[in-house]
Amino acid sequence: MAGLRCAEVLLKRGMRVTILEGRDRIGGRLHQVEHAGRLIDMGPNWIHGTQENPMLSLAKETGTSLHSWGDRQSMFDENGASVDRESAGMLSSIMWETIAEAFAYSNENSDEIGPDESLLDFFRSRLAGEPKYEMATTTPHPEQGDTKNTLRGDLPNQVDVNSGNGGKRIGPLSEELRQKVLWVSEVWGAYVGEPIGSQSLKYFWLEECIDGENLFVASTYKAILERVAKLPLTEAEVHLSTVVTAIQTPDEEANAPVIVTTATGSTLQFDEVVLTAPLGWLKCSHVATFDPPLPRQLTDAIDAIAYGRLEKVYVTFPTAFWHGPDGEEPDRGFTHWTHPLYAPATNPASWNQEAVSLSTLPSPDAHPTLLYYIHGPCSSHLTGLLATSPPNTHFALLAEFFAPYYSLLPHYSPAHHSPTCMTSTSWGTDALAGHGSYTHFAVGLDGGDRHIERLREGAPQRRLWFAGEHTAPFVALGTVTGAYWAGEAVGQRIGRVYGRSEGA
């Protein structure tokens, strides 16, 4: 997305553009495949935030169908028992209120928070009623503005933990309730690709998104991708299946081109190069790729910012059996299986499982599919297992892993409700994706915002620019919107260098 948007901006300024794409298709991590007779997104599924979000405008322009489940959910406890709606709502409310408090605390106190303090530390302290993370009033980062939790809509300011209704929080919570909330809080990993214990509290504020709803892209990102790619595919010179292996940049004072070498040994020369490869690819490849090496401030930034591991598994059934025999719509969006102790053979670490039912999407996009989001060690385990197993065993391996969870849904019968199709992502084993999904701010990070700003700046004195979700404005890091904005910004900057405006 970053490369296509950058190309679009440059072409509109009358500049010649060449696109070198390592894959045999455009889009990078924004990608669809056929599954059970319909398209599914293997990369992003969501538009994060609706306030002045260009993805929302593009969705409307292209007729892309969007959907919101609101706060509807269902939950199963560590023993596989269904949690009643009131208790599930209470646990979820406490968890999301604490997330909102952590955003506010991180935004207002980032300078005082230690690099080794995690979001999990914040949860444990707040749920125990400890005074460690009392709120202070300081000035938030100018890019961030007012702190609001925009991940799951508006949350109550306070929660009565005894009833789940709005009111004054009573605490500290009992040890049993604290543990249940901590297990539920592991859902955070499905947002950033890593466990809650890995999430930096100091830079938690960098995980916030644009204000407004999170909307699921029900009809996939295909039409949006085609819209952004239309001008580049028409007017740019596009080379697919072209892997770049070396980039030689000139000295700052030299009036010389950038020389790019591909895997076939061919070389190309350019006045400017915009690198939109993922952060993970930069982490793996920058030492071998750049001559001379990248400036220290860039390599420090590349090494410091973490890269999350989010994977998806689509599990499709003959029918959406969880709706019941009369087809009634269940009162759920997401389903959470918290700290499952009942699948030790396939999940000995009791990793949480999260899924959303695509059967509740609006027609004609609804289909009897559960979309599972897995992250961190769980995703590495599953992608590693599939990578080392023959392809004809993948269906059985996935069914064995997920059966303990979907079999707990209402009306399930093993004789009638076996999956018919399964498709899993494999970003963790994808070299061009950088063996992961997107930017993450991990425990141990220091100078996180400065590192992002340095990546944004790039090395224009060496005619080298960077764009992607990892160089986005702070409110859009790790998102399609962020990649779009990052490509746009670099295209505009290069246009200014050459005195080119849109329509030139």
Side-chain angles (χ1 to χ4, degrees), residues 439-472:
T439 301
H440 170 57
F441 300 95
V443 167
L445 176 65
D446 206 2
D449 50 345
R450 295 192 300 276
H451 288 312
I452 295 296
E453 289 167 343
R454 286 164 181 160
L455 286 172
R456 265 189 221 154
E457 176 61 23
Q461 70 279 7
R462 286 170 49 176
R463 307 186 176 213
L464 181 64
W465 313 73
F466 295 98
E469 51 84 11
H470 53 291
T471 69

Side-chain angles (χ1 to χ4, degrees), residues 175-196:
E175 184 176 349
E176 179 184 3
L177 186 53
R178 287 203 307 270
Q179 183 58 73
K180 289 184 180 296
V181 174
L182 288 174
W183 284 337
V184 171
S185 73
E186 292 175 18
V187 70
W188 180 250
Y191 288 85
V192 298
E194 293 295 331
I196 186 173

